[in-house]
Amino acid sequence: MRRLSLVAAASCCWMLCASLVLAVDLPGFSTGEVNLKSAGPLSFAPDNVLIIGDPKAATVYAVQLDKSATKSPERLELPIPDGIEVADLAVSPDTGVIYLSVTENGKAAIVQVNGDKLEQVALDKVKRAVAELANAPEDKVVGEGRRRGNRREESITDIAYVDNQVIVTGRVTGDAAAAVHSIAYPFQEQGSAMPIEIYHAAHGRYEDDAVARVFVPFTIDGKPHLLAGFTCTPLVKFPLGEIAKAKQAYRGTTVAELGNRNKPLDMVVYEKDGQQYLLMANSARGVMKVSTKDIEREEGLTEPVKGGGTAGQTFEAIDWEGVVQLDKLNDTTAVIVTKAEGQPAVLKTVDLP
């Protein structure tokens, strides 16, 4: 009966009763509208501020949310109506509410889980701060064959708040197209884009045009780093302090090769039995539980890994099918979006492995 009630709720939830957005004053914020051109990555800053990436606009928004919103259920299985595409999900560390960036009929929106239904977050009059990215690719289709596409759609691939900065990965103009943006929070100064370079073990070469698809903030030896996943699937660490000082493309340290013909879709860091792990959802290689043991070592991969092989950090495969998005709901539970072929997408909670 519980499952039936959720399915029934999902069938009508896209009436989307607008949820209330309330906030206290924060420096650098003003009241206005957030008019999203596209659904992109989500993250959270302190004081229940939702960080929203809009790749089509090459713009980052920080939106103050209501702290009195009802905490999302710890046990949840909610089918997502047909026609709704989920770009990302994030759980508020302040309230435990699940938020999703979605597209329906070509329109982007932010929705939240309220009990067993989805509600649209009203963005017409909110406290927000706005940052436009420098050097974003033109909004047009370029290239031929398999390389044909609109590079503006990759201007923001992932986003996170780290130590009074908003870090954004994505594509910029120029030959060295892969970059990391560092924007002082809350966007009172112009941010900067730093080009990056990685050793791509599956390709057997260094590359400065490989865009980080997903990343997580991670502390190594007391210093903030990014652990970033790239297509085919190198896992690379970047010390944030050193990136900011780079005068040319900053070369990260490739700590793992997790298999070719694959794109990382989402990842999160969590602790289990006193050890830290990276949980990564992938397009072709399922969900991986990656060990972070000895990740502080200085040496990285510098030799080719051929034939779809793996090297570096060890991992185990997790038997979760069709996972396309994930986040931590709490210390023991994850929230995931699954999409099996021919089936509706489902938002549900599962125990962290």
Side-chain angles (χ1 to χ4, degrees):
M1 292 300 294
R2 177 62 174 168
R3 183 177 179 82
L4 289 174
S5 69
L6 288 172
V7 172
S11 67
C12 65
C13 71
W14 212 246
M15 294 169 61
L16 292 175
C17 302
S19 65
L20 187 63
V21 179
L22 300 174
V24 297
D25 288 337
L26 287 176
F29 283 68
S30 60
T31 301
E33 181 181 13
V34 173
N35 185 13
L36 296 175
K37 292 184 178 180
S38 61
L42 301 177
S43 186
F44 272 91
D47 296 315
N48 206 37
V49 172
L50 180 63
I51 307 296
I52 306 170
D54 183 343
K56 192 76 169 174
T59 299
V60 178
Y61 298 95
V63 177
Q64 296 184 26
L65 296 178
D66 179 15
K67 286 189 177 182
S68 66
T70 303
K71 184 177 181 179
S72 298
E74 191 160 329
R75 290 303 170 199
L76 178 69
E77 187 165 346
L78 177 60
I80 297 173
D82 289 340
I84 298 169
E85 298 293 331
V86 178
D88 199 11
L89 71 85
V91 179
S92 167
D94 290 306
T95 65
V97 177
I98 301 167
Y99 292 87
L100 300 92
S101 60
V102 302
T103 303
E104 185 193 24
N105 297 326
K107 295 183 178 180
I110 304 299
V111 301
Q112 70 178 53
V113 175
N114 185 359
D116 58 1
K117 63 181 182 296
L118 300 178
E119 291 183 348
Q120 186 170 0
V121 178
L123 298 175
D124 56 338
K125 191 177 181 181
V126 294
K127 291 285 189 180
R128 83 287 190 266
V130 183
E132 296 182 5
L133 298 184
N135 303 325
E138 285 189 81
D139 188 8
K140 66 178 183 179
V141 176
V142 297
E144 301 292 338
R146 287 169 43 181
R147 295 184 176 274
R148 183 174 175 79
N150 187 342
R151 294 192 168 195
R152 173 63 74 89
E153 295 174 357
E154 295 183 332
S155 66
I156 303 174
T157 54
D158 209 353
I159 197 166
Y161 169 90
V162 186
D163 291 347
N164 296 315
Q165 302 173 78
V166 171
I167 305 299
V168 181
T169 54
R171 191 175 296 280
V172 295
T173 56
D175 295 332
V180 174
H181 299 263
S182 175
I183 310 170
Y185 179 79
F187 312 155
Q188 293 173 295
E189 299 176 4
Q190 179 69 41
S192 59
M194 292 77 70
I196 58 172
E197 182 179 87
I198 66 167
Y199 181 75
H200 204 310
H203 297 169
R205 63 175 182 261
Y206 288 96
E207 297 178 353
D208 59 10
D209 61 349
V211 176
R213 298 298 170 183
V214 294
F215 74 86
V216 289
F218 192 81
T219 301
I220 300 176
D221 291 335
K223 298 179 180 179
H225 286 64
L226 302 184
L227 288 182
F230 297 75
T231 301
C232 276
T233 313
L235 179 65
V236 185
K237 66 178 180 180
F238 296 92
L240 273 178
E242 293 184 27
I243 291 179
K245 299 174 185 176
K247 302 299 182 183
Q248 55 187 2
Y250 179 73
R251 182 175 292 179
T253 301
T254 302
V255 296
E257 168 55 49
L258 301 174
N260 65 358
R261 300 183 181 181
N262 177 60
K263 183 168 74 172
L265 302 175
D266 210 350
M267 60 185 182
V268 66
V269 173
Y270 72 104
E271 188 169 311
K272 185 104 174 192
D273 300 326
Q275 299 293 324
Q276 282 191 311
Y277 297 95
L278 180 71
L279 196 63
M280 178 188 292
N282 298 284
S283 63
R285 293 180 175 261
V287 176
M288 298 175 176
K289 179 182 177 181
V290 182
S291 170
T292 64
K293 184 179 180 181
D294 298 327
I295 204 167
E296 70 278 1
R297 67 187 185 280
E298 292 185 7
E299 69 276 11
L301 302 181
T302 56
E303 297 294 332
V305 179
K306 298 297 186 180
T310 63
Q313 301 299 126
T314 59
F315 70 92
E316 62 177 292
I318 303 301
D319 189 21
W320 295 350
E321 293 187 4
V323 178
V324 294
Q325 299 294 332
L326 57 83
D327 198 3
K328 282 198 313 181
L329 185 65
N330 53 45
D331 290 340
T332 61
T333 308
V335 56
I336 61 177
V337 174
T338 63
K339 185 68 175 75
E341 187 174 351
Q343 301 294 322
V346 178
L347 177 71
K348 62 182 179 179
T349 54
V350 292
D351 293 333
L352 283 165

